[in-house]
Amino acid sequence: MSIHRNLISLTIVVLIMASLFAAAGCHRDSTAATSSCLTDTKLVDQNGNQVSLASLKGKPLVVDFIYTSCPGECRMETAKLANVALRLGPDLGSKVTIVSISVDPEHDGPKQLLDYARQQGADEKGWYFLTGRPGDIDKALAGFKLIRQVMPDGSIGHLVDMMLIGPDGRLVREYNGEIVKAQDIVDDLRKTLNKG
């Protein structure tokens, strides 16, 4: 019984610490104002092409963190970003990029991400669904000051962060993906575009 309680206590401590790290976000670091969130780690998109986040500099981008077997939160965030994509129209791809990074690379390969994108109405030019080796995903997330949460039973913890990254790779704004409205993201993207 004591071992069971110790395991529960340890799990709670790990979850609390992971939440604190996840909440830190890119902008909480004192160097974040002068450094890019976009690492040059090589990831793979839904079409099997290699992409580094650093290569996406030059346009504002909205980044979120999903996994394809997620029962609810990820699909809601993807639907919200599909609404953003709809409102952006032809600016998606030409002026703005959306990036969804899998936090479950052990199960999300390019095929799973492409199927997910199609099922969610998110198979759009200018929207990357990225995966890679677990270590590469961890390095990419570290650029945003986030960590993946893999529970002892193998389930994945949700990251509800959405981030607006400027053309220079620096954080412009962080959102709670569960409560932000699509129009607010679009408005912030337009302001970022107007700043040049």
Side-chain angles (χ1 to χ4, degrees):
M1 194 67 155
S2 149
I3 293 173
H4 182 68
R5 272 190 246 156
N6 286 343
L7 284 175
I8 291 172
S9 297
L10 179 61
T11 301
I12 290 169
V13 168
V14 168
L15 290 174
I16 290 170
M17 293 304 293
S19 296
L20 290 174
F21 282 115
C26 185
H27 71 291
R28 306 266 197 259
D29 186 333
S30 60
T31 61
T34 59
S35 65
S36 174
C37 297
L38 305 177
T39 68
D40 61 359
T41 305
K42 299 282 189 269
L43 300 177
V44 180
D45 73 10
Q46 69 269 34
N47 298 307
N49 301 313
Q50 269 202 343
V51 177
S52 78
L53 293 175
S55 72
L56 299 176
K57 285 183 185 176
K59 300 176 189 174
L61 49 129
V62 178
V63 181
D64 79 328
F65 310 92
I66 56 100
Y67 59 101
T68 62
S69 63
C70 174
E73 291 90 339
C74 299
R75 293 177 192 281
M76 181 268 303
E77 287 186 25
T78 301
K80 194 170 294 192
L81 289 181
N83 192 331
V84 168
L86 181 67
R87 292 169 190 240
L88 288 172
D91 286 347
L92 179 61
S94 63
K95 297 181 181 178
V96 174
T97 303
I98 297 175
V99 177
S100 296
I101 300 174
S102 173
V103 293
D104 187 14
E106 293 88 352
H107 299 102
D108 289 343
K111 180 190 180 320
Q112 289 81 11
L113 291 174
L114 183 59
D115 290 346
Y116 176 85
R118 287 177 174 159
Q119 290 165 3
Q120 301 305 310
D123 187 20
E124 301 275 346
K125 182 179 179 188
W127 191 339
Y128 295 90
F129 286 82
L130 299 178
T131 189
R133 294 180 308 215
D136 292 336
I137 292 294
D138 292 338
K139 287 177 190 172
L141 291 176
F144 299 101
K145 306 295 184 254
L146 296 172
I147 59 169
R148 290 189 311 133
Q149 300 174 29
V150 181
M151 306 306 169
D153 67 357
S155 63
I156 303 299
H158 295 284
L159 290 175
V160 296
D161 304 76
M162 284 186 181
M163 298 181 186
L164 171 57
I165 307 297
D168 58 0
R170 296 181 186 144
L171 182 76
V172 174
R173 181 119 191 239
E174 187 170 354
Y175 308 98
N176 178 325
E178 292 181 316
I179 61 174
V180 67
K181 293 179 174 45
Q183 188 59 51
D184 293 338
I185 297 172
V186 172
D187 292 344
D188 288 342
L189 278 166
R190 300 261 185 238
K191 288 177 196 166
T192 302
L193 283 169
N194 289 336
K195 287 182 183 174

